[in-house]
Amino acid sequence: MTLDENWFSEPHQDIIGFSLRIREKLHEEQTPFQKIEIYDTVGFGKLMVIDGCVMLTDRDNFIYHEMMAHPVLFAHPAPKNVLIIGGGDCGTLREVLKHDCVRLATQVDIDERVTRLAEQYFPQLCDSNDDPRARLRFDDGIAHVKNAEPGSVDVIIVDSTDPVGPAEGLFSTAFYRDCLRALGRDGLLVQQSESPLLHADPIIRPMHDSLRAAGFADIRTIHFPQASYPSGWWTATIAAKDGRVGFHREQAAEALAFQTEYYNAAIHRAAGATPEFLRRKLQG
């Protein structure tokens, strides 16, 4: 929603909100799946909004995209085949393809218009769309995972919107069971899991419960700042098909072969620390 013609504001749970001063609205459209708006803001660059919720800004998207990609990829001993569900802005895909060990990265987003608008307004996020290892698919991610060949994927990244509308099924036990089947040995899943301050009970704890019910052997939630998301504190939850969620390629992370803006090995280790209030909730 907008406070007036000079501000975009996203209220949350009727208790907090995040606002950005805007110069102008650059685009608005209703797709078959969702409403997409693009703004030019003061200080945060371009802003993409989906169904009234901030999806990304020029200024801080690098934190989210790096933390959705690098911790899980460095936690896998040899990630070659990566599946991204959602992620239509292509920022996570770009980060995944910085890893030379990745041979195939398939991105499946139900709404092609998110990608086409990202190519127009956030071209820096789409630098890797023409990489020969990239496959862009515009389809139902839930169906794609269900139909995947068993054991064919090393890492699944669920870069989804909030668990409402088209994304609701991406937070279900049934979906996680299909992910478990699609993952090979040492397979890992990571999914954005919202704010621990605001969503520990409605989202993070039920996600842990559903992942366990689906058969995942170990689950760990990592933490990072995200100024433009509700509360400014965000998480991603990593689940291991077998064994523990570790840091298998720690040496490679210490000597990064590519440039990042937020992620490094120290951040990786620190992000896995769990605050006491969340630890108690997750232990039930």
Side-chain angles (χ1 to χ4, degrees):
M1 62 175 291
T2 55
L3 296 174
D4 57 44
E5 69 273 11
N6 296 317
W7 290 87
F8 170 85
S9 182
E10 179 190 344
H12 191 77
Q13 296 182 355
D14 293 326
I15 57 173
I16 64 170
F18 177 75
S19 297
L20 285 172
R21 189 174 182 86
I22 60 173
R23 291 191 175 95
E24 62 176 319
K25 178 181 282 189
L26 301 174
H27 185 84
E28 178 181 336
E29 70 175 90
Q30 177 68 50
T31 78
F33 307 100
Q34 53 207 351
K35 182 180 179 180
I36 308 173
E37 299 166 276
I38 310 289
Y39 295 89
D40 183 25
T41 77
V42 176
F44 271 67
K46 292 186 180 66
L47 161 69
M48 178 183 283
V49 175
I50 293 182
D51 287 340
C53 298
V54 172
M55 289 297 106
L56 65 100
T57 75
D58 279 330
R59 185 161 190 172
D60 71 343
N61 77 80
F62 67 92
I63 304 175
Y64 176 87
H65 290 133
E66 290 183 12
M67 293 302 286
M68 286 298 293
H70 302 313
V72 71
L73 290 176
F74 281 117
H76 193 283
K80 296 180 175 63
N81 189 344
V82 178
L83 174 62
I84 303 168
I85 302 299
D89 59 63
C90 303
T92 298
L93 175 67
R94 180 192 64 180
E95 297 303 316
V96 166
L97 290 172
K98 290 180 178 179
H99 293 253
D100 290 340
C101 57
V102 172
R103 295 290 173 258
L104 176 66
T106 303
Q107 177 179 289
V108 183
D109 193 292
I110 199 168
D111 195 344
E112 182 175 358
R113 289 301 298 156
V114 176
T115 296
R116 300 311 171 205
L117 290 171
E119 289 172 338
Q120 181 178 354
Y121 292 104
F122 301 88
Q124 72 279 11
L125 300 183
C126 302
D127 288 346
S128 297
N129 287 16
D130 294 327
D131 189 302
R133 298 172 294 161
R135 301 287 185 274
L136 299 182
R137 301 286 184 265
F138 302 106
D139 205 349
D140 182 345
I142 295 172
H144 185 95
V145 172
K146 184 180 290 291
N147 295 325
E149 182 180 346
S152 62
V153 182
D154 296 312
V155 173
I156 297 175
I157 300 174
V158 186
D159 182 359
S160 67
T161 54
D162 298 345
V164 294
E168 185 174 4
L170 298 174
F171 292 76
S172 69
T173 302
F175 172 69
Y176 295 143
R177 286 197 187 102
D178 290 335
C179 289
L180 190 75
R181 182 185 54 81
L183 287 167
R185 183 178 179 181
D186 298 318
L188 296 171
L189 174 147
V190 66
Q191 184 168 17
Q192 75 86 11
S193 45
E194 314 258 329
S195 168
L197 282 178
L198 302 175
H199 308 113
D201 288 318
I203 293 176
I204 299 176
R205 181 174 173 179
M207 180 184 291
H208 278 240
D209 292 343
S210 293
L211 286 163
R212 283 194 199 90
F216 281 90
D218 189 34
I219 305 159
R220 178 173 298 186
T221 293
I222 62 172
H223 303 256
F224 51 94
Q226 198 67 41
S228 60
Y229 288 176
S231 84
W233 178 5
W234 217 245
T235 65
T237 295
I238 303 175
K241 179 173 183 173
D242 41 57
R244 306 287 292 177
V245 176
F247 195 178
H248 288 282
R249 296 198 297 132
E250 186 171 4
Q251 186 174 357
E254 287 283 6
L256 279 175
F258 50 82
Q259 181 175 321
T260 58
E261 299 299 322
Y262 182 76
Y263 176 88
N264 56 36
I267 289 287
H268 186 127
R269 288 187 287 267
T274 304
E276 276 301 293
F277 80 91
L278 185 61
R279 184 189 64 80
R280 287 194 296 268
K281 285 182 181 293
L282 295 179
Q283 289 184 343

